């Protein structure tokens, strides 16, 4: 009983916390790229946790498998968004020096989880 309660409570609280923090960060300064990327990263984490919660609530079968696959797809968005946040937050000018390399770094970061997801399906 306690384990099933934790399986629902932890993803629910982490979803609410991640999405609430994303909204708070955007409310502070919507124009800053670091805030935008932080909100995207937190939203990706919140979406992933919401899908994990949904998979715990769906009966076993093909629907649960589909929800778990969506959760893995949402998890693939987490590393590139956090890399983009760290690149823009790490410099005082919003990462202007890395503008030319940012697409390459994001593609390399996204390639590993997307390849893993393609192999898992």
């Amino acid at each position: 009983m306690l384990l099933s309660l934790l399986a629902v409570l932890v993803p629910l609280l982490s979803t609410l916390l991640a999405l609430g923090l994303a909204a708070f960060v955007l409310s502070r300064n919507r124009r800053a790229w670091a805030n935008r990327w932080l909100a995207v990263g937190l939203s990706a984490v919140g979406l992933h946790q919401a899908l994990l919660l949904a998979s715990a609530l769906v009966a076993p079968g093909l629907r649960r498998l589909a929800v778990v696959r969506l959760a893995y797809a949402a998890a693939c968005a987490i590393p590139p968004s956090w890399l983009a946040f760290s690149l823009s937050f790490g410099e005082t000018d919003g990462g202007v020096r890395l503008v030319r390399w940012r697409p390459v770094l994001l593609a390399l970061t996204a390639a590993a989880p997307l390849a893993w997801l393609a192999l898992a399906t």
Side-chain angles (χ1 to χ4, degrees):
M1 175 71 179
L2 180 64
L3 188 60
S4 63
L5 179 65
L6 287 177
V8 171
L9 191 61
V10 170
L12 177 66
L13 290 176
S14 61
T15 298
L16 293 174
L17 185 64
L19 295 178
L21 191 55
F24 174 74
V25 166
L26 279 180
S27 73
R28 301 302 294 169
N29 184 0
R30 188 171 289 180
R31 291 182 171 207
W33 279 104
N35 288 8
R36 290 179 185 179
W37 281 115
L38 179 59
V40 168
L42 287 168
S43 298
V45 169
L47 177 64
H48 174 67
Q49 290 297 316
L51 289 168
L52 288 179
L53 174 63
S55 71
L57 298 176
V58 172
L62 291 178
R63 287 190 180 177
R64 179 180 278 181
L65 182 62
V67 172
V68 169
R69 285 184 178 171
L70 284 174
Y72 285 140
C76 288
I78 295 171
S81 61
W82 284 102
L83 176 67
F85 164 70
S86 64
L87 289 176
S88 60
F89 185 75
E91 296 195 17
T92 57
D93 55 1
V96 173
R97 285 189 281 167
L98 295 172
V99 167
R100 184 174 58 165
W101 293 101
R102 191 175 295 156
V104 173
L105 292 172
L106 288 173
L108 287 174
T109 304
L114 288 176
W116 180 83
L117 183 64
L119 291 174
T121 57

